[in-house]
Amino acid sequence: MNHHWMNIIAQYSSVVGFMIGLPTVAATYYQSFRARQEARRALEGTLHSANCLEFIAGDGTCINLVPLETLHSLPREGDVLLLPGNGVSDGAVFLPGAYLVEAIEHIYTLSERKGARAHEARLTKAVARVTSLNPAM
């Protein structure tokens, strides 16, 4: 009699273990895949400013980042912009005020979205090199 109950318990525990184990293994693999993608992007240096318009000073220091989806148009060379900078605190390197756009670069990558056409590209990042028009204090 004991042997019969052990067989029934063994059969059901195998099914339950499979139903719990398979999704767990799949979820673990998916998480490790996403972590590898994120690590690769971080090594490439595109993670913090991806899908943004980045305003940089002449020495390459970032002044501000603006998400591309919030923009209705991109600035052009010669435009004067009012940027918030780092604020007006004691440690602020860039003060809020007017900045002149000297050059703008557009960076495109292959579109990885589902249903993308062959060789479709999308704007990934824009970089605007600016010069401060603020008077020296």
Side-chain angles (χ1 to χ4, degrees):
M1 193 68 159
N2 259 349
H3 188 351
H4 175 70
W5 286 107
M6 293 301 266
N7 269 341
I8 292 174
I9 291 172
Q11 288 174 348
Y12 286 113
S13 67
S14 295
V15 170
V16 170
F18 180 75
M19 291 177 66
I20 293 172
L22 184 64
T24 303
V25 169
T28 303
Y29 175 76
Y30 178 73
Q31 288 296 328
S32 68
F33 174 74
R34 298 296 290 184
R36 284 192 308 262
Q37 280 185 328
E38 187 174 332
R40 179 179 47 85
R41 281 190 229 123
L43 287 174
E44 292 172 353
T46 59
L47 189 61
H48 73 284
S49 63
N51 300 317
C52 288
L53 168 59
E54 183 175 9
F55 295 99
I56 61 169
D59 63 355
T61 308
C62 179
I63 299 172
N64 289 116
L65 287 174
V66 179
L68 288 174
E69 63 267 6
T70 63
L71 298 172
H72 57 82
S73 63
L74 290 172
R76 291 177 278 176
E77 291 181 24
D79 286 352
V80 175
L81 308 169
L82 297 174
L83 297 176
N86 298 81
V88 290
S89 62
D90 292 336
V93 178
F94 298 104
L95 295 174
Y99 289 85
L100 175 67
V101 178
E102 292 179 356
I104 189 154
E105 299 172 17
H106 304 91
I107 301 167
Y108 294 89
T109 59
L110 285 176
S111 180
E112 297 176 356
R113 69 178 176 82
K114 188 175 182 178
R117 295 174 291 217
H119 308 292
E120 182 177 344
R122 68 179 191 87
L123 179 62
T124 305
K125 181 178 175 180
V127 179
R129 191 176 66 232
V130 296
T131 302
S132 176
L133 299 177
N134 298 328
M137 293 191 174

